[in-house]
Amino acid sequence: MAMKASNNIWIRRQQCPCGDWKCYIKYEGDDPALVSSLHVKSEATSSSSSSEAVFTPYVGQIFKTDDDAFEYYSNFARKNGFSIRKARSTESQNLGIYRRDFVCYRSGFNQPRKKVNVEHPRERKSVRCGCDAKLYLTKEIVDGISQWYVSQFSNVHNHELLEDDQVRLLPAYRKIQEADQERILLLSKAGFPVNRIVKVLELEKGVQPGQLPFIEKDIRNFIRTCKKTVQDNDALLNEKRENDMLELLEACKAMTERDPGFVYDYTIDENDKVDNIAWSYGNSVRAYYVFGDVVAFDTTYRSVTYGLLLGVWFGIDNHGKAIFLGCVLLHDESSHSFAWALQAFMRFMRGRCPQTILTDIDSGLRDAIAREFPNTKHVICVWHILSKISSWFSLPLGSQYENFKAEFEMLSHMESIEDFEHQWNIFVARFGLVSDKHIALLYSSRESWSLSYIRSYFLARTLTAEFSLALEAFLKRILNAQTCLQVFFEQVSIAANFGNQTREVMQYMNVKTGMPIEEHARNILTPYAFNILQREIVQSVQYATTEMANGSYLVRHYKKLDGECVVIWMPDDEQIHCTCKEFEHSGILCRHSLRVLVVKNYFQLPEKYFLLRWRLESSLDSLDDVNTQVSVDDCSQSFNTLTATLLTESLVSKERFNYVHRELSSLLEHVRNMPVIVDYVVNMAASNISDS
């Protein structure tokens, strides 16, 4: 079978992060339609047709063709626990083939074979036992139209008939459909052993282990039969990958003419072939200057066709929407490749590292982040972990799994490190998982996913379910059976274009408390951020404050005795800190801090507690204007110092003043005529001015 090289199949990374190649991941809630909708559709069609009612054949039954009769008899046989085969056919000069004999697969007897000259010949046991079940067809011509009728039929067997779960394993019914053949060859090319190919197909089709319409032996025989085809396809795919990577590189070069802010980078292997490639757009680079404090690096999908891992960088804007920041295709999943990807991203963003980076659980990526982003907090998204625990624990825990999952989610949201450590040991012992390798993996990385450890990391609400769904929606828009990487590149360009993104504009909410701080905040924050702050303001009125000796405040709910927080207020520089660390975590003040500010007679929140990333002025629609305001204070101070010195020196004489006035006028005219550079970085400019 010649494999079609047109389909680019994307699958989720199924290698388990525990490092055991035999361990694979079945994702909870995974949608197999993303990568195999056509496969599923074709199988559903065939299964539905086979599920139609098939009655017992009878003598005189009419069929249009002999193939129709064979299919009918085959369906009847399958539902009754046996299979059939074509036996004798009779042909005449006038009618051609006019008789067909279909018999039970155990009809007749096996003919003895000639012995070969081998020391230990294999003795294969025959299934044939002389069964007389049969259906004979005869062709006749009626009104000039040929048709076939059943001339003989017998349903008497001399052997046991098989149950449903056994009959499907008969060779006649173990068919590998063309779509599955293509997939098997692709997975084989990617280095998947036969047992893992079976598991991948079971996962994608959503069937229980052992319920595929074929078995490992069939796959092994198919691959062996197609060995030459596999080799040819391997060469074709290598050639396709090389050509398509070159086309992608040319597309990147062409994009720089349409988007002056577009940036890309790539590596070549020892054969001068494009190995890895990464890119970002002008809008994305500009957005990063405001919203680059938290970055999610998604490495969920890989292309089987090209053997490439897809990595996508996302941010979150002031409306709580996911924004595209960059894309990379890597030839492998090694720590070295991840390190190059992170380096490329930093070059695109002019060396500015994010405060926090969110990823999946991956040891190679973890090591690369530690090397390349030593001052960046690394967080493992808890939703990535939750998508894997079913594969890890549902089978060994059985009926206990649901309780395990509920307790794990509760543990992941504990706020106290001491409570987490204590409860973790009890949790592991209760379910008998002390020596489990996946429990060990989770515990070793707990400082990156447990809320008790990461509650002081700035995450800008990227751990919410809404943000997770937004990332998945973006990936589904760009991942389908593209004919080539250039088409994939174009789809990424469309999806990443901020102008093409539908933004849900929320109207300002009505003031609910009448507090001046609420009215003031509404004029500064986006509706998304204000909605969150407003909920905290509303809740704050239910909290009582008790001033303590050291000037701090104990804040607790008027009904609840537990969950109290300590708020420290420093009036000299208007700083407020709460032990819940909500502001450090999301950038929005908590109800406890708000309560203390109200007690201190604040009618407006201090400006420092309206982060630039949550303000209306930071919206992507006016990003060009916002970009010029980044680090405005630093630039203003630098220019004020320089101009003050220049003014002092120019007032010494009229000659100096005329010279400075003339040169400044010329400089101003030159600056006004300069094109707008999309990757202009104000803080770098300020740094250069200071250095000079």
Side-chain angles (χ1 to χ4, degrees), residues 7-12 14 30-40 183 200 203-205 301-304 476 479-481:
N7 285 344
N8 183 7
I9 298 178
W10 297 93
I11 64 171
R12 288 179 181 268
Q14 293 168 322
D30 195 7
D31 181 8
L34 180 62
V35 290
S36 56
S37 58
L38 295 178
H39 304 183
V40 174
R183 190 61 191 279
V200 169
L203 287 173
E204 292 181 351
K205 295 175 181 297
Y301 291 94
R302 64 176 295 109
S303 168
V304 177
K476 286 188 177 183
L479 299 182
N480 54 37

Side-chain angles (χ1 to χ4, degrees), residues 241 245-246 248-249 252 264-270 272-279 306-311 313 327-344 347-348 485:
R241 180 181 183 276
M245 288 291 272
L246 285 175
L248 176 58
L249 184 59
C252 288
Y264 69 97
D265 199 359
Y266 64 97
T267 64
I268 57 175
D269 60 18
E270 62 276 6
D272 292 332
K273 307 295 183 183
V274 179
D275 212 20
N276 306 305
I277 188 166
W279 67 90
Y306 294 101
L308 295 171
L309 174 70
L310 171 67
W313 288 280
C327 188
V328 65
L329 292 171
L330 300 174
H331 77 284
D332 64 26
E333 302 174 19
S334 66
S335 180
H336 177 75
S337 294
F338 283 131
W340 178 84
L342 296 173
Q343 292 167 8
R347 285 192 290 273
F348 298 163
L485 289 178

